[in-house]
Amino acid sequence: MLKDIVDVQPLDGYRLKLRFEDGVEGVVDVAQLVPLTGVFAALRDRNEFVAVRVHPELGTICWPSGADLDPDVLYSRVTCTALPSLGATARCE
C-alpha cells in the first residue's frame, strides 16, 4: 500500500495537509495520531511543528527533531481505509 508523500503544508493546530504520489490529498491531525510526548514532544513547539518537510528518500514527513510518521498510517487516515497488515478498520473523521 505504500504511497509516498510528495507535499506537506502545516495548518492550524496540529493539522497537516498531505498530498500523496497518486494525487490523493487530505488533512490529518497529528495530535489525534500520536501523543505529543517522547520523540513527538518537540512538536508542541509551533516553530518545530511548522518545520515539517517531506523526506525525499523515505517518502514520508519528518521534523528537524527526528520525529517522523509512517506514510501507510497517514494514507489510511486520509483515505479512510484499513491498514492491510493490521486488518483494522481506519478511524475516519
Side-chain angles (χ1 to χ4, degrees), residues 20-54:
F20 293 85
E21 65 185 339
D22 63 355
V24 168
E25 293 185 7
V27 175
V28 296
D29 187 335
V30 174
Q32 291 183 357
L33 290 175
V34 296
L36 298 177
T37 60
V39 70
F40 297 105
L43 301 184
R44 287 189 241 151
D45 177 334
R46 183 69 184 166
N47 290 327
E48 176 73 11
F49 186 78
V50 300
V52 65
R53 67 179 178 89
V54 174

